Amino acid sequence: MDIIEQNKQTVTAFIDALFTRGDLSAVDVYLAEDFVNHDPPVGVGPDREGMRAAGALFRQGFPDWHSDLGLLVGEGELVVEQFTASGTQQGEVMGVVGDGRTVVLKGINIFRVRGGRIVERWGRLDDLGLLRQLGLVPTPASA
């Protein structure tokens, strides 16, 4: 297996472990000590512990949260992942009490992998769509 395929495997294993299985120790296994998250979720830090907190937040609010891979592209040290994640809200998220609604979050992540560990992440998530689904931002009326 070449290095690009190894990097892609590292990224998919990390996403599966942390976000689909809820294994918070995935942070220790897959993220480098000097990991930097250039686009952390609001309220969490840009380091490994921030990523662990994001995983815990989603697992607490959505116990069945899972991430489905749409596209995976590798080039050198970079792996780009396009995904759709979803789960049933059972716990409180951003002050919204769980009511059994299904929430869907789409996004794109770019990971840089070095020596078999993820060292950087950049990402764009459909934060507005998530806020609308939680009822925190109104959905515009159709014309």
Side-chain angles (χ1 to χ4, degrees):
M1 178 182 321
D2 69 12
I3 192 69
I4 292 173
E5 290 304 313
Q6 290 174 11
N7 290 347
K8 289 163 67 174
Q9 186 175 43
T10 296
V11 166
T12 57
F14 170 68
I15 296 299
D16 181 61
L18 183 62
F19 290 104
T20 297
R21 293 191 328 243
D23 179 2
L24 300 180
S25 71
V27 167
D28 304 315
V29 174
Y30 295 101
L31 300 185
E33 291 290 329
D34 60 345
F35 169 78
V36 176
N37 187 349
H38 296 282
D39 300 302
V42 174
V44 302
D47 57 5
R48 287 170 31 138
E49 292 311 311
M51 187 63 86
R52 190 185 324 268
L57 171 79
F58 277 98
R59 182 59 46 187
Q60 180 273 324
F62 309 94
D64 63 345
W65 191 257
H66 63 280
S67 184
D68 296 317
L69 181 63
L71 179 68
L72 192 68
V73 177
E75 179 69 30
E77 293 185 328
L78 299 178
V79 176
V80 179
E81 170 216 21
Q82 180 273 321
F83 69 92
T84 301
S86 61
T88 308
Q89 187 185 3
Q90 300 296 326
E92 184 177 316
V93 176
M94 297 180 198
V96 177
V97 177
D99 64 358
R101 78 181 97 201
T102 298
V103 172
V104 176
L105 176 65
K106 294 182 180 213
I108 296 172
N109 288 310
I110 303 170
F111 295 96
R112 187 165 68 86
V113 182
R114 184 182 60 227
R117 300 192 78 190
I118 299 168
V119 294
E120 292 182 276
R121 176 203 168 263
W122 298 264
R124 286 295 172 253
L125 309 178
D126 181 13
D127 295 324
L128 180 58
L130 177 64
L131 295 173
R132 285 181 173 154
Q133 291 173 77
L134 293 173
L136 296 171
V137 172
T139 301
S142 55

